[in-house]
Amino acid sequence: MADCIFCKIVDGSIPSKKVYEDDKILAFYDLEPQAPVHVLVIPKQHICCANAVDESNADVIAHIFTKIPEITKTLGLDNGYRIVNNCGDDGCQSVKHMHFHILGGKKLNGQMA
Ligand code: AMP
């Protein structure tokens, strides 16, 4: 999708530090990490947000979750991690291409909001 920075990361026109890639998804380090390890996992296809998940694209979201154990193992997050998805304005979603934050590398704050 034009003007989507994560679509541009997928097509390589914006560089990223990749952690994992296959035909459906990409994982790369967040530019402004909020934990010792902070990686974003995205579908390659443009899905704006959790509100846009439906039967036609649910397979790629399921695929992300089947790959997260492999990705987090590569990152050394053996003691656990947090998965965050922000949706919409109240959820403080700044990039409108659905993504899951993987945060870890320390004992995280127990507060969610
Ligand atoms: P959210 O606020 O949930 O939409 O998260 C968007 C995330 O994308 C933020 O944590 C940003 O630091 C991150 N981000 C924005 N641009 C880039 C980029 N070019 N490469 C890596 N991470 C990015």
Side-chain angles (χ1 to χ4, degrees):
M1 188 187 205
D3 296 331
C4 170
I5 56 171
F6 285 179
C7 284
K8 288 179 180 171
I9 284 176
V10 170
D11 74 19
S13 55
I14 291 179
S16 67
K17 196 173 164 198
K18 291 179 189 175
V19 173
Y20 175 83
E21 180 171 21
D22 63 28
D23 58 327
K24 296 190 187 79
I25 69 171
L26 178 63
F28 54 96
Y29 283 97
D30 196 291
L31 213 51
E32 296 180 45
Q34 295 189 35
V37 178
H38 187 171
V39 162
L40 302 173
V41 188
I42 67 169
K44 286 190 166 179
Q45 70 189 89
H46 186 88
I47 300 171
C48 72
C49 58
N51 268 349
V53 176
D54 60 23
E55 290 300 330
S56 74
N57 57 27
D59 59 330
V60 72
I61 305 304
H63 183 65
I64 284 174
F65 277 84
T66 65
K67 288 296 172 183
I68 280 175
E70 186 182 320
I71 293 166
T72 53
K73 190 168 184 196
T74 305
L75 295 168
L77 300 178
D78 302 322
N79 208 36
Y81 50 87
R82 179 170 293 155
I83 303 170
V84 174
N85 170 252
N86 295 325
C87 180
D89 289 342
D90 280 2
C92 288
Q93 182 183 6
S94 61
V95 178
K96 308 298 195 240
H97 180 129
M98 191 174 185
H99 51 281
F100 296 93
H101 298 258
I102 306 287
L103 300 147
K106 69 170 187 181
K107 178 84 172 172
L108 298 170
N109 189 320
Q111 204 165 348
M112 288 285 177

